[in-house]
Amino acid sequence: MAHFLQTPLPVLDNDILRTFVAIAETGSFSGAAETVFRTPSAVSMQIKRLEEQLGVSLFVRDARAVRLTHSGETLLNYARRMLALSNEAMSRFRHPDMHGVVRLGATDDIGEKILPSILKRFAEAFPGVMVDVCIDNSIGLRRRLSEQRLDLTLLNDGDETVDENSELILRERLVWAGASCGTAYMKDPLPVSMWEQGCSWRNEAVQKLTEKGRAYRVAYMSATTMVQRAAVLSDLAVAPIASYYVADGMQVLGEAEGLPELGFYEIRLKFSEQGGELVEAVADAIRHAFGAAQRQSRVA
């Protein structure tokens, strides 16, 4: 008994706890791998180590997703509290004067697909800084920036609309997306899901369809990528989207389906005239997240 009492308990690793929380929140090992910028195999090894350390199973795995066991639900509560306290302590010593509000703009696709994970990590590192987000198209975001209603914004720029007074964050290929095994691309005129004038994805698609002489109609027009994706998944239309936005249930269409090859678009970061330490901290978090995602993509 004396020997048992003298044996120290193992210490939980915050890095592994972050991976565990990411799996719980995304519902998959692959989704967590993207969130923590690790390979799926590295994520699996971390969870195996954690389960061996605790002596319990944390997840029930099936072909479509993973879910927490009762022990996993118990650990999730502790993990979130431990990580929040760790982040608060680190911020107290490393960023004692970082307090205030930063106004960040983003387009709908970035706001839905990319921004939440960036802001979550930023909030963990800088709990004293609040980031207010405005979602709009690139034209509206530029206007808000010039009117000093935003401190910085992420913009989508096509090849013909590059803003030289902005910082390149990511260059991504545009593709045609259709429903897996769908037939929308066979219809004449071609039903397309896209937004109105001012969207760089639309501008590229319209130009290339016109050059090819392919008749089309705007079957679904929406300012949100969620509606655009729903139209594609329902096989009601095809859509020009960024390659990273192609999801399960979609397929990339091209010349074989009679659709013209699309070019590239860029995600750029643009600042207002009023900067400052807080704005630069948010910008650094965005740069780091996009850079890490690109490195992870090359590894995969």
Side-chain angles (χ1 to χ4, degrees), residues 93-134:
F93 289 99
R94 296 184 63 180
H95 313 291
D97 301 321
M98 297 288 278
H99 295 276
V101 178
V102 176
R103 301 165 301 172
L104 171 64
T107 53
D108 177 66
D109 58 295
I110 297 173
E112 179 190 357
K113 182 76 173 180
I114 303 174
L115 206 54
S117 60
I118 296 177
L119 295 182
K120 184 177 186 298
R121 288 190 294 273
F122 182 83
E124 292 170 349
F126 301 94
V129 180
M130 293 180 291
V131 181
D132 291 344
V133 178
C134 173

Side-chain angles (χ1 to χ4, degrees), residues 134-150 153 155 163 270 272:
C134 173
I135 301 298
D136 201 347
N137 61 34
S138 292
I139 292 177
L141 292 171
R142 287 192 181 90
R143 183 177 63 251
R144 291 172 186 271
L145 199 67
S146 66
E147 295 171 353
Q148 302 297 312
R149 290 190 286 158
L150 292 175
T153 185
L155 303 167
D163 187 340
K270 190 172 178 64
S272 70

Side-chain angles (χ1 to χ4, degrees), residues 160-224:
E160 304 300 322
T161 60
V162 172
D163 187 340
E164 298 297 340
N165 296 317
S166 59
E167 177 183 340
L168 177 62
I169 296 295
L170 177 70
R171 193 165 193 262
E172 186 68 63
R173 177 173 289 280
L174 285 175
V175 298
W176 290 104
S180 296
C181 303
T183 61
Y185 71 89
M186 300 178 182
K187 297 177 181 178
D188 188 27
L190 178 72
V192 182
S193 176
M194 55 187 174
W195 184 222
E196 61 185 11
Q197 298 294 336
C199 172
S200 60
W201 296 3
R202 175 193 172 111
N203 295 342
E204 178 72 12
V206 168
Q207 178 184 341
K208 293 300 174 65
L209 286 172
T210 301
E211 291 175 354
K212 188 176 180 63
R214 178 72 187 267
Y216 71 92
R217 67 183 181 90
V218 181
Y220 265 74
M221 186 170 70
S222 172
T224 68

